[in-house]
Amino acid sequence: METKESGQKMTISDVAEALNISKTTVSRAISGKGRIGAETRRRVLEYIEEHNYKPSVIAKGLAQSKSYNIGWVMPSDYSVVDLPFFQKCLMGLLEMAAPVDYDVLVCTVSPDDMSQLERIVENHKVDGVVLGRTLVNDAPAEYLKEKKIPFVVVGSMDDDNVVQVDHDHRSACRELTSILLAKGMTKVALMGGNKNHVVTLNRYRGYLDAMEDMEVPVDNSLVYFDIDNSVLCEHAIEEIMKQKAECILCMDDGICQNVLNILDKKGIKVPTDVRVASFYNSSLLNNYQPAITSLQFDPRELGMVACKLLVDFIEGNEVKKKTHLGYELRLKESTK
Amino acid sequence: METKESGQKMTISDVAEALNISKTTVSRAISGKGRIGAETRRRVLEYIEEHNYKPSVIAKGLAQSKSYNIGWVMPSDYSVVDLPFFQKCLMGLLEMAAPVDYDVLVCTVSPDDMSQLERIVENHKVDGVVLGRTLVNDAPAEYLKEKKIPFVVVGSMDDDNVVQVDHDHRSACRELTSILLAKGMTKVALMGGNKNHVVTLNRYRGYLDAMEDMEVPVDNSLVYFDIDNSVLCEHAIEEIMKQKAECILCMDDGICQNVLNILDKKGIKVPTDVRVASFYNSSLLNNYQPAITSLQFDPRELGMVACKLLVDFIEGNEVKKKTHLGYELRLKESTK
DNA sequence: CTGAAAGCGCTTACAG
DNA sequence: CTGAAAGCGCTTACAG
């Protein structure tokens, strides 16, 4: 109940001594591995409970060549730091990791620098890592494969050997686009993000799928990528409106926020002058008037699932390679 | 179950053997501690460079009773996860930590549960921690004091013994309020956040300071706290407008976003019907029309400074107890 | 300047 | 069922 003798932290030797048994036995009582008498075990557990003994995970790790850490790798791009997406994934990771006694070490990578990632794996500070997003040519993923470190990606990749967890953006975008087309619009513009992100391509494919389904020809002058600042965005909107687009489909809510502001500035009304829909997963568009039709995902759940998969993987269990989480489609006034 | 591959991780013994010297000498060459011949040292450094040997930080940690991790503690409240603030702090932390060979372990706490924090400190997984915000009755801070773990807080507290890094919210708010008053407004409403957060109180104090400076009496029917959902927000706005407030000062951009949406919904125009100002540190209000007058802070810098202070602290150096970072005041159309 | 040895706090064959 | 001992990969008095 009271804190142990002031100062020094208790070690396994202390409890062994106090109980007049060997460290081996104490270790076994705690880990549950190896044979041990029920009564002995009870005594040990009771003692450490009462004296609040907590084994050093560092020492345990050394003995087992493990760190009990998983690495969470997120991009550090300026534009991405404003999106709550990665923060929410991280929350999910943390939530799942603690109960299985893993901790989460964070590091960032940028397209031209993955030294932080290299540090944590080469210093042996993590037992596995989860990559926060996937790129078309994914240097971090290649690196981890080569190093033979267990890892899972939040997102999708072509390689069927890597463990992936993602929402099915292709289907989702196909569904959303279909609904827009079914409403009678044929000129649905697409405002895309970075084409080097796999997610961008998948959404684009879904868009194309829907166009094909509904036999609507694709007009490339309505399709824009790499819209990552307001100048590009404004330019794209001007072109799009020149083509008399009936709807603008935005690939993420950062882009959508930009689009809405520019539309507003230009006095173009939503949904009367043009409809707007988005891939919505943050609060950027909270309470916007009119409410924005969007696809809804759950980043926190991505994090939780990724963590579960990674830990299973690390511990040598069989792991499903590809898991898709559900999404929701929310029709609002912006596409009325 | 795993078979050893030829590419096994190299240990200090391997390099000692290869060079025909002792592990001691290798260790000294790397750490720079202890006497060692310049030539010997050169050989070691050259060898490990060439063979890409990286010492295990885990083992090093065990030997030194250190983990070379710092803990980053952030709240997990639902409302707070949408703000990029903590994510940006974290970026700053990471940026400073890597060069000094520390890694960052993340954990969350909520008002009624700090078990994640207890885990990482009691498992000895961190050498110190930084608390992402301060509360009026700060249980995590109390806990860390009791445990005698080095820690620094991002935010302010009454206890002069704890290392703090913060923006001077009181002065900032005083300055902003003064400017508003100087423009001739006397009815400046205040929409505050959680009164249990120290930052909320400090901003409030700054507001009071300014009112006193300018000899404007404080009207309590213009001051609201704990505005954390749109229902409360709408109610507050109705009351405020009934009092014919000339300006609404919002304590953070989440609140401000809410306020703007409700104002919009009610057809109240900014700045003609009412002025609006905010404490702006995220992208929530990006490109909003009209542009919002606000105080601007730098969360990333907070993280960087906190990291520097903590590492100094951990390594036993003298550390400044209280550091204030600068802020900027941006006057925009919303208070014209 | 360099090395043998003890030690950091655990785990885990191996033996009894 | 239990323990002595070796070992995980480093650091660091201590001695030469």
Side-chain angles (χ1 to χ4, degrees):
Chain A
M1 204 150 154
E2 290 311 313
T3 33
K4 187 55 177 139
E5 26 188 304
S6 56
Q8 289 315 311
K9 40 199 74 161
M10 209 185 324
T11 73
I12 198 172
S13 304
D14 296 327
V15 359
E17 217 164 275
L19 260 29
N20 236 289
I21 55 181
S22 73
K23 295 190 300 175
T24 308
T25 304
V26 176
S27 175
R28 281 202 274 254
I30 295 171
S31 68
K33 294 186 213 160
R35 305 184 61 77
I36 186 177
E39 170 59 11
T40 314
R41 165 168 215 177
R42 217 213 74 254
R43 280 176 59 217
V44 174
L45 262 20
E46 182 182 300
Y47 184 90
I48 69 179
E49 164 77 316
E50 191 174 324
H51 294 74
N52 195 34
Y53 162 69
K54 297 282 172 72
S56 159
V57 180
I58 302 282
K60 180 180 175 189
L62 217 217
Q64 301 179 138
S65 296
K66 290 197 55 174
S67 66
Y68 289 96
N69 287 148
I70 65 185
W72 164 243
V73 179
M74 54 188 273
S76 57
D77 325 7
Y78 198 31
S79 60
V80 122
V81 157
D82 273 333
L83 298 177
F85 176 82
F86 293 101
Q87 188 155 278
K88 288 181 177 176
C89 278
L90 177 53
M91 294 293 137
L93 265 182
L94 292 171
E95 204 171 310
M96 280 311 273
V100 288
D101 246 305
Y102 277 78
D103 288 292
V104 178
L105 217 62
V106 179
C107 85
T108 59
V109 294
S110 69
D112 51 305
D113 177 20
M114 53 179 196
S115 59
Q116 280 199 35
L117 174 58
E118 290 168 359
R119 261 194 66 243
I120 65 170
V121 345
E122 281 163 21
N123 283 343
H124 315 111
K125 298 240 347 198
V126 293
D127 298 332
V129 348
V130 3
L131 255 26
R133 76 169 169 205
T134 52
L135 304 175
V136 175
N137 288 307
D138 203 310
E142 288 309 318
Y143 170 74
L144 293 170
K145 272 187 232 171
E146 187 197 311
K147 285 282 173 182
K148 300 200 167 57
I149 305 286
F151 73 101
V152 349
V153 301
V154 171
S156 297
M157 334 197 8
D158 261 342
D159 190 331
D160 287 333
N161 288 315
V162 348
V163 182
Q164 313 169 33
V165 45
D166 203 0
H167 291 101
D168 187 346
H169 288 100
R170 183 170 182 167
S171 299
C173 191
R174 176 187 201 155
E175 189 176 335
L176 176 53
T177 308
S178 296
I179 287 178
L180 298 173
L181 295 174
K183 280 174 182 283
M185 313 175 203
T186 56
K187 289 172 173 289
V188 176
L190 189 65
M191 301 282 276
N194 190 323
K195 259 195 129 166
N196 201 34
H197 300 350
V198 173
V199 66
T200 302
L201 296 183
N202 280 336
R203 288 170 177 174
Y204 180 47
R205 288 189 190 116
Y207 171 84
L208 294 179
D209 291 343
M211 299 296 267
E212 198 180 323
D213 290 347
M214 313 290 273
E215 295 176 348
V216 177
V218 175
D219 177 353
N220 281 318
S221 67
L222 289 175
V223 177
Y224 289 82
F225 290 102
D226 299 302
I227 301 299
D228 51 12
N229 65 56
S230 24
V231 177
L232 287 177
C233 188
E234 181 157 357
H235 174 72
I237 286 181
E238 283 163 4
E239 293 301 312
I240 284 170
M241 294 310 291
K242 220 178 275 173
Q243 309 294 324
K244 309 220 185 306
E246 294 151 298
C247 183
I248 303 176
L249 179 49
C250 304
M251 278 208 192
D252 74 48
D253 39 7
I255 293 175
C256 192
Q257 188 184 37
N258 235 321
V259 166
L260 290 171
N261 282 318
I262 289 167
L263 253 23
D264 188 52
K265 195 168 97 183
K266 291 185 175 300
I268 303 172
K269 294 294 175 209
V270 178
T272 41
D273 300 333
V274 68
R275 260 66 65 98
V276 171
S278 180
F279 285 67
Y280 173 87
N281 47 27
S282 84
S283 59
L284 288 179
L285 271 23
N286 260 354
N287 306 318
Y288 196 88
Q289 297 292 338
I292 304 297
T293 286
S294 67
L295 255 355
Q296 182 96 353
F297 304 103
D298 189 345
R300 181 180 206 115
E301 198 188 348
L302 283 174
M304 300 206 302
V305 174
C307 182
K308 175 96 179 64
L309 289 169
L310 181 58
V311 170
D312 278 352
F313 193 178
I314 289 172
E315 303 192 333
N317 303 320
E318 201 52 47
V319 154
K320 195 174 152 200
K321 293 302 182 188
K322 207 147 187 158
T323 117
H324 272 159
L325 305 183
Y327 55 87
E328 281 176 42
L329 181 45
R330 308 216 169 155
L331 295 175
K332 300 287 181 66
E333 296 130 56
S334 72
T335 51
K336 273 267 166 65
Chain B
M1 13 183 79
E2 293 287 23
T3 33
K4 305 288 182 185
E5 318 238 353
S6 62
Q8 266 318 290
K9 37 202 76 162
M10 209 183 325
T11 72
I12 198 173
S13 304
D14 296 328
V15 358
E17 219 164 274
L19 259 30
N20 236 290
I21 54 181
S22 72
K23 296 189 299 176
T24 307
T25 304
V26 177
S27 175
R28 283 202 273 252
I30 295 171
S31 69
K33 293 185 212 160
R35 305 183 62 76
I36 186 177
E39 170 59 9
T40 314
R41 162 167 218 178
R42 217 212 74 256
R43 280 177 58 217
V44 174
L45 262 20
E46 182 181 301
Y47 183 90
I48 68 178
E49 164 79 315
E50 191 174 323
H51 293 73
N52 196 34
Y53 163 70
K54 298 283 172 70
S56 159
V57 180
I58 302 283
K60 180 180 175 189
L62 217 218
Q64 299 179 140
S65 297
K66 290 197 55 174
S67 65
Y68 288 97
N69 288 148
I70 65 185
W72 164 243
V73 179
M74 55 189 271
S76 56
D77 325 8
Y78 198 32
S79 61
V80 121
V81 156
D82 274 333
L83 298 176
F85 177 82
F86 293 101
Q87 188 155 279
K88 288 181 177 175
C89 277
L90 176 54
M91 294 293 137
L93 266 183
L94 291 171
E95 203 172 311
M96 281 311 273
V100 288
D101 246 305
Y102 277 79
D103 289 293
V104 178
L105 217 61
V106 179
C107 85
T108 58
V109 293
S110 69
D112 51 307
D113 177 21
M114 54 180 197
S115 59
Q116 281 200 34
L117 174 58
E118 290 168 0
R119 261 195 65 243
I120 65 170
V121 345
E122 280 162 22
N123 284 343
H124 316 110
K125 297 238 350 198
V126 293
D127 298 333
V129 347
V130 4
L131 256 25
R133 76 168 168 206
T134 52
L135 304 175
V136 174
N137 288 308
D138 204 310
E142 288 308 319
Y143 169 74
L144 294 169
K145 270 187 232 170
E146 186 198 312
K147 284 282 171 183
K148 301 198 166 58
I149 306 286
F151 73 101
V152 350
V153 301
V154 171
S156 297
M157 345 197 357
D158 261 343
D159 189 331
D160 286 334
N161 288 314
V162 348
V163 182
Q164 312 169 34
V165 47
D166 202 0
H167 291 102
D168 188 346
H169 289 99
R170 182 170 183 166
S171 298
C173 190
R174 176 187 200 154
E175 190 175 334
L176 175 52
T177 308
S178 296
I179 288 178
L180 298 173
L181 295 174
K183 280 174 180 284
M185 313 175 204
T186 56
K187 288 171 176 286
V188 176
L190 190 64
M191 301 282 276
N194 190 322
K195 260 194 130 166
N196 201 34
H197 300 350
V198 174
V199 66
T200 302
L201 296 184
N202 280 336
R203 287 169 178 175
Y204 179 48
R205 289 189 190 116
Y207 171 85
L208 295 179
D209 290 344
M211 299 296 266
E212 196 181 324
D213 290 347
M214 311 291 273
E215 295 176 350
V216 176
V218 175
D219 177 355
N220 281 317
S221 65
L222 289 175
V223 177
Y224 289 81
F225 290 101
D226 298 302
I227 301 298
D228 51 13
N229 65 56
S230 22
V231 177
L232 287 177
C233 189
E234 181 157 359
H235 173 73
I237 287 181
E238 284 163 4
E239 293 301 312
I240 284 169
M241 294 311 291
K242 221 178 276 173
Q243 309 295 324
K244 309 221 182 308
E246 296 152 297
C247 183
I248 304 177
L249 179 49
C250 304
M251 277 206 192
D252 73 49
D253 39 6
I255 293 175
C256 192
Q257 188 185 36
N258 235 322
V259 165
L260 291 171
N261 282 317
I262 289 169
L263 253 21
D264 188 51
K265 194 167 98 184
K266 291 186 176 297
I268 303 172
K269 295 292 176 212
V270 178
T272 40
D273 300 332
V274 68
R275 263 62 70 97
V276 171
S278 181
F279 284 68
Y280 173 87
N281 47 28
S282 84
S283 58
L284 288 180
L285 271 24
N286 259 353
N287 304 318
Y288 196 89
Q289 298 291 338
I292 304 296
T293 286
S294 67
L295 253 357
Q296 182 96 352
F297 304 103
D298 189 344
R300 181 181 207 113
E301 198 188 349
L302 283 174
M304 300 206 303
V305 175
C307 182
K308 175 97 178 64
L309 289 169
L310 181 58
V311 170
D312 278 353
F313 193 177
I314 289 172
E315 303 192 332
N317 302 320
E318 199 53 47
V319 154
K320 196 175 153 199
K321 293 301 181 188
K322 207 146 188 159
T323 117
H324 272 158
L325 304 184
Y327 56 87
E328 280 176 43
L329 181 46
R330 307 215 170 156
L331 294 174
K332 301 287 181 65
E333 297 129 56
S334 73
T335 50
K336 272 270 165 63

